[in-house]
Amino acid sequence: MFGPHTMFTTAISILALGAQLASAVPTIDIKGSDFINSETGDRFQLLGVAYQPGGSSGYDPASGIDPLSDGNVCLRDAALMQRLGVNAIRVYNLDPDLNHDLCASIFNEVGIYMLLDVNSPLPGESINRDEPWTTYDSSYLNRTFAVVEAFKSYPNTLLFFSGNEVINDDASASVVPPYMRAVTRDLKNYIKKNSARDIPVGYSAADVRDILVDTWNYLQCTTTGDDSDPSRVDLFALNSYSWCGDSSFTTSSYNVLVSDLTGTSVPVFFSEYGCNVPAPRIFTEVPVIYGPLMTPVLSGGMVYEFSQEASNFGLVNINSDGSANLLPDYDTLQKQFSTLNVTAIQGLPAQNTSVTAPKCSASLISAKSFNSNFTLPAVPPGAQTLIDNGIANAPTGKIVSVTKTAVSQTVKDSQGNIIQGLSIIPLSNDQSNNPSAISSTTTSSVTASPTKKGAATSMQRNWTGLSVAGALVTAWLSLM
Ligand SMILES: *[C@@H]1O[C@H](CO)[C@@H](O)[C@H](O)[C@H]1NC(C)=O
Ligand SMILES: *[C@@H]1O[C@H](CO)[C@@H](O)[C@H](O)[C@H]1NC(C)=O
Ligand SMILES: *[C@@H]1O[C@H](CO)[C@@H](O)[C@H](O)[C@H]1NC(C)=O
Ligand SMILES: *[C@@H]1O[C@H](CO)[C@@H](O)[C@H](O)[C@H]1NC(C)=O
Ligand SMILES: *[C@@H]1O[C@H](CO)[C@@H](O)[C@H](O)[C@H]1NC(C)=O
């Protein structure tokens, strides 16, 4: 039926199509208290890092900058994160109206997910913890919905945080909780109506022990009797700094945390960890977080933080000319990550997929100061229309092809040697990054003979090529 010439041109166009298809991470779902890799059905754990270069001034709508708006910067940092072994970043302050396509696509190519806060420190862009009713309005919600619109189409958008440490003392605990459930409800209803994919929404809590368990219970419980109550969080995270230096499961009181949160109906993880006193850090909490004492209840965590800022938690020092140098903490963390058994972390069947949410009731709350009113503030005037019809001028995002893989900025290792040939290494479809996903041959100290891990890398890259060739052969055969 088809002459050789027709077959040839068909083959070429399929090849071209294959080349255009960017590989994508598998989306992550939530079932019970587990994150689930949607392709394998296995449990997924976060091996992440907080990413806010420039601190809060790294978000400056007036100058058109946020942490995911400059592809050259993201390329440099994605390459360094890939070597480190992380599979997720947390980004706090985003301008929904900027173009994030290249950064999101770069992180997608290297198998790194994004955990995104919908708020910012600017006026009108977050809930005020002293007087939440003054800030919960349709203009505020419009902004949070815009963040959803800007990021909903990237496969590596893993979740949204509706709030970060808004409840952090007795005073805020007495007024904020119903507003956190209300914002969660509005975001989840918006996503349900306006997003093709159901992206989870959760809360990132301050680790204030008197109110932590109340916060978790207040936010995870159901008012309707089933798990689909939209005002219920899909996940609960906490910013934990209780493991400092050469600590232990009990000295850090991680044991108390695990015992308190056992039986959680939603995934729980550290949205920040990495106490920096004493310094330099030794990160001995890493094997514990991913070990048998913690993983039955926690799903990993996010190290605070990638870039060195005034608060001194950085892994990498970024200079004003775009060059960067790794700090000793980067090396230490990389060593700790490299000891982890990736199969045990990412390759095990999900365990806790059918946990039922507790029914909301004042009896779940123990601190006197903590709000136990589960009648939520009504959706503010005008906001239901936004939820039902989508916001006006909604920003859009899409995966684009990443053509440049080599980092152009100078990056030095912690010894001051320039790292040669630093680049991102695109992973094949349905892969996420992990500490052994790429070789260590890109480190300046090991430049010669590829290790076993290096061999695995070229195989992975060849599999990408093979699957395109495979598709070509299949298509060609079906034409015969
Ligand atoms: C998950 O299941 C394991 C094994 O049954 C159990 O030990 C653990 O406590 C459960 N975790 C949660 C959060 O319920
Ligand atoms: C890694 O974990 C898997 C799954 O639990 C186990 O079968 C394997 O033996 C572990 N590998 C090592 C080197 O401990
Ligand atoms: C609970 O909150 C609702 C909504 O804000 C409010 O109308 C109601 O008066 C509150 N109930 C109590 C007992 O404070
Ligand atoms: C809602 O957000 C979009 C996108 O940022 C913006 O263009 C629009 O003006 C906002 N609308 C309102 C009413 O704030
Ligand atoms: C494919 O595999 C061959 C043989 O192992 C290797 O020489 C080559 O560099 C690989 N290609 C890529 C793109 O990694």
Side-chain angles (χ1 to χ4, degrees):
M1 233 170 104
F2 292 92
H5 177 73
T6 317
M7 253 193 289
F8 181 72
T9 47
T10 308
I12 294 295
S13 57
I14 291 170
L15 233 189
L17 182 72
Q20 276 167 17
L21 288 176
S23 58
V25 293
T27 54
I28 301 297
D29 300 331
I30 288 176
K31 285 200 186 111
S33 61
D34 288 332
F35 285 115
I36 308 280
N37 177 320
S38 62
E39 286 300 322
T40 61
D42 290 337
R43 187 175 177 205
F44 175 83
Q45 295 189 59
L46 290 158
L47 269 164
V49 67
Y51 185 54
Q52 190 70 31
S56 46
S57 58
Y59 164 65
D60 178 10
S63 65
I65 294 174
D66 78 11
L68 298 177
S69 58
D70 184 335
N72 271 330
V73 168
C74 291
L75 184 67
R76 175 197 66 204
D77 296 343
L80 293 172
M81 288 180 202
Q82 198 176 18
R83 294 163 85 250
L84 183 59
V86 308
N87 64 15
I89 52 174
R90 177 184 183 182
V91 187
Y92 296 78
N93 306 317
L94 290 157
D95 180 347
D97 292 320
L98 295 178
N99 186 327
H100 305 105
D101 288 349
L102 189 50
C103 281
S105 303
I106 288 169
F107 283 111
N108 172 61
E109 285 276 330
V110 300
I112 292 180
Y113 293 92
M114 304 183 293
L115 284 54
L116 307 169
D117 287 74
V118 299
N119 300 292
S120 99
L122 299 185
E125 302 193 348
S126 57
I127 292 290
N128 178 307
R129 67 164 63 85
D130 302 317
E131 298 178 311
W133 50 89
T134 61
T135 43
Y136 179 60
D137 56 29
S138 72
S139 152
Y140 162 73
L141 286 174
N142 184 84
R143 199 265 171 196
T144 70
F145 298 157
V147 175
V148 169
E149 291 287 355
F151 287 92
K152 70 181 186 184
S153 303
Y154 303 129
N156 54 333
T157 296
L158 199 158
L159 59 85
F160 295 108
F161 287 119
S162 56
N164 178 54
E165 301 195 1
V166 194
I167 305 164
N168 70 347
D169 57 12
D170 286 349
S172 50
S174 71
V175 290
V176 172
Y179 288 88
M180 279 303 112
R181 273 192 85 110
V183 175
T184 302
R185 168 196 66 197
D186 301 341
L187 281 164
K188 286 175 66 172
N189 283 336
Y190 191 90
I191 291 168
K192 194 163 199 173
K193 276 268 180 175
N194 299 286
S195 169
R197 179 163 67 91
D198 190 17
I199 304 169
V201 177
Y203 178 74
S204 172
D207 188 4
V208 178
R209 286 296 159 100
D210 300 346
I211 54 173
L212 180 75
V213 172
D214 285 343
T215 309
W216 165 65
N217 268 323
Y218 186 92
L219 295 174
Q220 73 155 337
C221 69
T222 171
T223 57
T224 59
D226 72 60
D227 292 359
S228 64
D229 175 0
S231 67
R232 175 180 178 256
V233 290
D234 294 316
L235 57 107
F236 181 79
L238 67 145
N239 299 335
S240 167
Y241 291 94
S242 66
W243 183 301
C244 299
D246 183 19
S247 191
S248 74
F249 185 60
T250 47
T251 306
S252 65
S253 72
Y254 277 10
N255 61 334
V256 178
L257 188 69
V258 165
S259 134
D260 282 347
L261 302 179
T262 289
T264 181
S265 65
V266 291
V268 172
F269 62 95
F270 288 154
S271 37
E272 293 174 5
Y273 73 89
C275 168
N276 66 350
V277 180
R281 295 182 281 183
I282 52 176
F283 288 116
T284 45
E285 65 269 52
V286 166
V288 176
I289 291 171
Y290 297 97
L293 293 171
M294 303 283 281
T295 55
V297 175
L298 266 82
S299 296
M302 316 293 289
V303 172
Y304 195 79
E305 69 178 316
F306 182 76
S307 59
Q308 180 73 315
E309 309 295 340
S311 54
N312 243 22
F313 283 90
L315 306 173
V316 177
N317 197 54
I318 297 171
N319 306 308
S320 52
D321 65 356
S323 66
N325 50 292
L326 307 187
L327 297 169
D329 282 11
Y330 177 100
D331 297 346
T332 311
L333 184 61
Q334 188 181 38
K335 282 201 188 86
Q336 291 288 6
F337 279 164
S338 72
T339 66
L340 299 175
N341 179 345
V342 171
T343 313
I345 294 169
Q346 309 299 17
L348 295 183
Q351 268 195 325
N352 307 80
T353 52
S354 56
V355 206
T356 322
K359 187 116 182 57
C360 292
S361 131
S363 65
L364 282 177
I365 306 301
S366 52
K368 253 208 176 81
S369 61
F370 205 99
N371 191 305
S372 58
N373 184 353
F374 291 97
T375 304
L376 304 184
V379 177
Q384 193 60 47
T385 313
L386 302 176
I387 294 171
D388 292 340
N389 304 336
I391 62 167
N393 309 320
T396 55
K398 62 172 188 315
I399 290 292
V400 295
S401 77
V402 177
T403 48
K404 185 182 162 207
T405 56
V407 172
S408 51
Q409 301 93 331
T410 301
V411 180
K412 292 182 179 168
D413 67 17
S414 59
Q415 317 296 311
N417 303 314
I418 293 179
I419 302 176
Q420 305 291 344
L422 184 64
S423 63
I424 57 162
I425 300 176
L427 300 183
S428 45
N429 218 12
D430 289 336
Q431 286 209 316
S432 57
N433 194 43
N434 63 57
S436 57
I438 68 158
S439 78
S440 55
T441 54
T442 43
T443 63
S444 59
S445 48
V446 195
T447 43
S449 62
T451 60
K452 263 192 182 157
K453 286 172 183 169
T457 303
S458 12
M459 271 169 68
Q460 281 165 0
R461 298 177 75 188
N462 278 350
W463 286 341
T464 315
L466 278 177
S467 61
V468 172
L472 190 65
V473 169
T474 314
W476 185 78
L477 285 176
S478 66
L479 287 174
M480 300 282 289

